[in-house]
């Protein structure tokens, strides 16, 4: 990395550090808020399952107290007839106090119902085959028994049996007292609680059988989830807890809190959908992301502006360096050309004086003439150096650019040669400029010859004109111009081999050439003429894609047009003044 690149990278370091800081802070904020959202979700599920467990436990206790009261009343009254009206009335009073119980009934030791709040619609069928009946019949020590969900034979609806054993005075089996709880009650109660979209609340037996669920799922009631992971694994480890996992019912990922009841073999579960838990976080993340994008966009725009400003500064520095270098070369070339020109004029004057005295010496006279011709070639080269040094004598006049180029086309086509086509696009609308028309033609001829040499096989040279605004950063000697001043631009474009950057950098240097022949003063003369005419020149080239030369001159002002009628002497004076 060069010093300039290092300085540029150093200037961008604060912006890059700021951008990285914004990204890092945004990431930390999102991570922290994500963890906070997860913590709030777990805390919400844990608090809700705690409240529901307390409520469910009180419900179960109320049912158990009712069963104990019915059992005690049943054993106290001896020889009570079946379906006793007074006893049935007492059962209905107890039932009204338990909105979550559908029916209360007593089953005798033979399996038939002896007392029932549904009487007289109670079907006369034996319930000795029911699991809850068999459980008490087989185990005298069994206390409160919560059975698995069953379909009622009287109303064909799901119910959960809560039952206690009735003993005869001698301790033998005297039947059971049963409370039929409806899962629908729990589903309706749970439905009134807010668990968000795709959330659920479930009540299960400790061994894994589902008693009730909200949203309701008829297919899931009575289904065993004893092998469901990871719920069953967590339940074996602890009677309460929180975990994240997909549901075994609908495979939706949720934060799930569970709590086992202390006085009954049941478990309450609350599941909050991951999508609902993190919805506030996603909204917050969207705000953070948009804010970060805006800030990063501002930083990128700042970097772009800084880079653009620095690139413009580098271009201007390069242009200034080139101008200063060419100015230095021009002063040196002008001084050398002036001195050599004086020497050549003295030698030519000497030859002119010697020629009459050498009339009888043909060989010597021939040698003198050849030397004189060589001096004329050197004189032409000196004129080119003077043009580069902006010291050549110009005869500026108001010149219609399009008309002058159109009249010079035949010579340009001849210079291009048979393998190169010449296209014209003259669109300056007759705009005139104050310049030397002969030197303009010489400049165009020079450029077309260079273009032809750049296309040894074939190609196209395009000469175009247009009206443009004053060029920024002009390297020429320019008069003060207003914002509304017009310039005329002449563009010569070829489809040749182009120039590499190293050659492009030195293209205007005097005596620099890549052709292996010629003086290397062609583009130098072009630059000198344009600058001496108060114009500007731009050279664009890319290796393998051709070259474009733009000559720009201020459009003739009204006072310049008035000078169109000046004589040759006045025109020469004006040219010397402008040079």
């Amino acid at each position: 990395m060069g010093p300039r690149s290092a300085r540029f990278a150093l200037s961008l370091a604060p912006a890059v550090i700021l951008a990285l800081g914004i990204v890092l802070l945004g990431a930390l904020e999102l991570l922290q808020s994500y963890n906070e959202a997860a913590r709030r979700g777990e805390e919400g599920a844990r608090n809700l399952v705690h409240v529901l467990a307390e409520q469910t436990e009180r419900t179960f206790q109320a049912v158990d107290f009712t069963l104990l009261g019915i059992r005690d009343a049943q054993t106290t009254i001896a020889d009570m007839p079946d379906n006793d009206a007074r006893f049935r009335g007492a059962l209905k009073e107890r039932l009204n106090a338990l909105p979550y119980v559908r029916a209360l009934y007593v089953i005798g030791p033979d399996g038939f119902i002896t007392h029932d709040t549904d009487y007289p619609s109670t079907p006369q069928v034996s319930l000795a085959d029911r699991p809850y009946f068999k459980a008490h019949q087989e185990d005298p020590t069994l206390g409160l028994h919560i059975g698995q969900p069953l379909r009622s034979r009287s109303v064909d609806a799901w119910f959960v049996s809560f039952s206690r054993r009735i003993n005869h005075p001698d301790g033998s089996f005297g039947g059971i007292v049963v409370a039929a709880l409806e899962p629908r009650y729990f589903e309706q109660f749970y439905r009134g609680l807010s668990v968000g979209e795709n959330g659920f609340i479930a009540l299960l037996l400790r061994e894994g059988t589902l008693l009730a669920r909200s949203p309701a799922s008829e297919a899931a009631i009575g289904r065993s989830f004893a092998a469901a992971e990871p719920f069953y694994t967590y339940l074996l480890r602890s009677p309460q807890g929180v975990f994240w996992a997909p549901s075994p019912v609908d495979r939706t990922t949720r934060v799930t809190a569970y709590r086992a009841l202390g006085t009954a073999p049941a478990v309450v579960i609350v599941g909050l959908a991951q999508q609902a838990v993190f919805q506030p976080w996603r909204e917050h993340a969207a705000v953070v992301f948009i804010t970060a994008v805006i800030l990063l966009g501002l930083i990128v725009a700042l970097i772009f502006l800084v880079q653009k400003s620095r690139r413009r500064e580098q271009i201007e520095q390069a242009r200034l360096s080139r101008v200063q270098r060419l100015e230095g070369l021009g002063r040196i070339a002008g001084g050398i050309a002036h001195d050599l020109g004086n020497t050549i004029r003295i030698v030519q004057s000497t030859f002119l004086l010697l020629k009459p005295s050498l009339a009888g010496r043909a060989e010597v006279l021939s040698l003198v003439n050849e030397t004189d011709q060589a001096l004329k070639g050197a004189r032409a080269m000196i004129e080119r150096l003077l043009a580069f040094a902006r010291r050549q004598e110009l005869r500026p006049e108001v010149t219609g650019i399009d008309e002058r180029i159109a009249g010079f086309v035949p010579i340009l086509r001849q210079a291009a040669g048979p393998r190169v086509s010449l296209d014209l696009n003259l669109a300056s609308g007759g705009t005139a400029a104050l310049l030397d028309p002969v030197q303009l033609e010489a400049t165009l001829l020079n450029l077309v010859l260079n273009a032809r040499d750049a296309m040894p096989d074939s190609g196209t040279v395009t000469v175009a004109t247009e009206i443009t605004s004053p060029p920024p950063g002009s390297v020429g000697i320019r008069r003060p111009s207003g914002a509304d001043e017009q310039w005329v631009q002449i563009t010569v474009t070829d489809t040749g081999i182009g120039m590499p950057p190293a050659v492009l950098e030195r293209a205007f240097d005097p005596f620099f050439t890549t052709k292996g022949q010629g003086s290397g003063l062609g583009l130098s003369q072009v630059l000198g003429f344009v600058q001496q005419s108060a114009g500007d020149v731009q050279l664009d080239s890319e290796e393998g894609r051709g070259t474009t030369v733009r000559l720009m001159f201020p459009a003739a002002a009204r006072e310049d047009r008035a000078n169109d009628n000046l004589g040759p002497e006045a025109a020469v004076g004006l040219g010397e003044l402008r040079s």
Side-chain angles (χ1 to χ4, degrees):
M1 181 182 293
R4 182 176 299 177
S5 300
R7 288 195 301 270
F8 177 68
L10 186 62
S11 66
L12 294 181
V16 174
I17 293 175
L18 180 60
L20 293 176
I22 291 174
V23 172
L24 180 60
L25 290 177
L28 291 176
E29 168 60 23
L30 291 180
L31 179 60
Q32 181 178 1
S33 59
Y34 181 88
N35 293 333
E36 179 64 20
R39 187 194 64 79
R40 286 197 301 265
E42 293 177 0
E43 184 177 358
R46 185 183 293 109
N47 292 338
L48 184 56
V49 79
H50 175 76
V51 172
L52 290 176
E54 293 288 339
Q55 184 271 343
T56 303
E57 197 154 20
R58 287 194 296 269
T59 299
F60 288 1
Q61 289 175 351
V63 173
D64 190 28
F65 290 153
T66 299
L67 294 177
L68 290 173
I70 296 174
R71 184 191 67 179
D72 293 342
Q74 174 73 16
T75 56
T76 301
I77 303 174
D79 299 328
M80 181 188 302
D82 292 350
N83 298 312
D84 181 76
R86 292 175 58 186
F87 190 74
R88 185 169 63 254
L91 289 180
K92 288 186 176 181
E93 288 181 2
R94 294 177 182 271
L95 180 65
N96 292 334
L98 303 174
Y100 33 82
V101 177
R102 190 192 63 79
L104 294 171
Y105 53 94
V106 179
I107 303 176
D110 57 357
F112 286 91
I113 296 176
T114 58
H115 303 282
D116 186 8
T117 54
D118 288 340
Y119 183 84
S121 61
T122 305
Q124 295 298 316
V125 294
S126 175
L127 301 179
D129 60 338
R130 288 298 198 181
Y132 56 87
F133 184 86
K134 292 181 177 181
H136 288 289
Q137 188 180 38
E138 296 172 357
D139 186 3
T141 63
L142 183 63
L144 176 66
H145 177 267
I146 302 177
Q148 295 184 354
L150 299 172
R151 301 291 295 188
S152 173
R153 291 173 178 172
S154 59
V155 295
D156 192 28
W158 286 103
F159 76 96
V160 178
S161 63
F162 281 63
S163 57
R164 276 199 174 264
R165 176 186 172 103
I166 300 175
N167 290 327
H168 288 303
D170 60 358
S172 61
F173 179 64
I176 62 174
V177 58
V178 183
L181 272 71
E182 287 190 328
R184 187 182 309 167
Y185 164 79
F186 293 98
E187 294 169 359
Q188 292 175 350
F189 177 74
Y190 294 159
R191 195 181 306 132
L193 302 175
S194 177
V195 291
E197 184 179 1
N198 291 327
F200 79 94
I201 303 173
L203 177 63
L204 295 88
L205 292 177
R206 188 69 179 262
E207 44 83 11
T209 301
L210 180 67
L211 302 180
R213 185 182 189 274
S214 178
S217 176
E218 286 286 332
I221 293 179
R223 178 180 168 187
S224 176
F225 294 92
E229 294 292 346
F231 162 68
Y232 200 70
T233 301
Y234 281 100
L235 186 60
L236 292 177
R237 296 175 183 173
S238 173
Q240 60 181 350
V242 178
F243 61 89
W244 293 81
S247 168
V249 177
D250 57 13
R251 310 311 301 172
T252 299
T253 299
R254 296 180 176 91
V255 53
T256 303
Y258 66 93
R259 186 182 181 93
L261 303 186
T263 58
V267 181
V268 179
I269 301 177
V270 173
L272 304 180
Q274 185 181 48
Q275 183 176 5
V277 169
F278 289 108
Q279 179 61 32
W281 175 82
R282 282 193 292 271
E283 295 174 357
H284 175 68
V287 174
V288 172
F289 179 77
I290 293 174
T291 303
V293 168
I294 292 175
L295 292 177
L296 291 176
L298 293 176
I299 293 175
V300 170
L302 177 62
I303 293 176
F304 174 76
L305 292 176
V306 170
Q307 186 176 6
K308 184 178 180 181
S309 175
R310 180 167 292 276
R311 187 183 299 112
R312 187 185 300 113
E313 180 183 353
Q314 292 174 350
I315 292 174
E316 292 301 321
Q317 289 178 350
R319 291 173 66 90
L320 179 60
S321 175
R322 188 186 69 175
V323 169
Q324 292 174 345
R325 180 168 54 84
L326 293 179
E327 287 287 347
L329 290 175
R331 286 192 296 270
I332 296 173
I336 294 174
H338 183 269
D339 294 340
L340 286 178
N342 291 336
T343 302
I344 289 174
R345 278 194 296 271
I346 292 174
V347 175
Q348 285 181 324
S349 298
T350 302
F351 283 166
L352 184 63
L353 295 175
L354 287 175
K355 282 183 180 181
S357 62
L358 298 174
R361 303 175 63 179
E363 293 182 0
V364 177
L365 184 60
S366 175
L367 182 60
V368 169
N369 288 334
E370 290 178 2
T371 305
D372 189 40
Q373 289 297 325
L375 290 175
K376 289 181 179 180
R379 182 70 179 178
M381 184 178 296
I382 289 173
E383 291 295 332
R384 294 184 180 181
L385 282 175
L386 288 174
F388 169 69
R390 299 198 299 272
R391 295 185 183 183
Q392 68 175 341
E393 182 178 327
L394 298 181
R395 295 182 177 273
E397 60 184 66
V398 177
T399 304
I401 301 299
D402 288 358
E403 294 82 355
R404 195 74 185 188
I405 295 176
F408 196 57
V409 167
I411 296 178
L412 294 179
R413 292 191 188 279
Q414 185 176 2
R419 294 190 302 273
V420 177
S421 60
L422 181 67
D423 294 341
L424 293 181
N425 184 13
L426 306 180
S428 67
T431 303
L434 187 62
L435 48 77
D436 188 330
V438 176
Q439 289 299 323
L440 174 63
E441 292 176 350
T443 296
L444 292 176
L445 181 61
N446 203 334
L447 294 177
V448 171
L449 289 173
N450 282 347
R452 182 198 65 186
D453 294 340
M455 298 179 291
D457 298 327
S458 63
T460 301
V461 177
T462 302
V463 179
T465 61
E466 63 177 317
I467 300 299
T468 184
S469 56
S474 174
V475 300
I477 300 175
R478 295 170 48 193
R479 58 187 175 187
S481 61
D484 58 346
E485 182 182 4
Q486 290 185 336
W487 284 50
V488 58
Q489 176 176 292
I490 305 172
T491 304
V492 179
T493 304
D494 66 60
T495 58
I497 59 176
M499 306 180 194
V503 174
L504 183 63
E505 179 68 21
R506 301 185 58 193
F508 288 112
D509 290 3
F511 304 110
F512 177 76
T513 179
T514 59
K515 302 176 184 179
Q517 58 183 358
S519 63
L521 291 171
L523 288 178
S524 302
Q525 184 180 6
V526 171
L527 176 64
F529 162 68
V530 173
Q531 291 181 340
Q532 197 170 353
S533 302
D536 192 12
V537 60
Q538 295 179 356
L539 178 62
D540 296 326
S541 184
E542 185 175 351
E543 196 169 7
R545 296 192 176 184
T547 301
T548 298
V549 182
R550 298 180 182 87
L551 312 177
M552 290 165 282
F553 304 95
R558 290 187 178 88
E559 61 271 17
D560 293 333
R561 293 175 185 271
N563 290 330
D564 191 25
N565 295 324
L566 294 176
E569 295 80 3
V572 171
L574 182 59
E576 292 174 349
L577 177 63
R578 294 173 65 88
S579 64

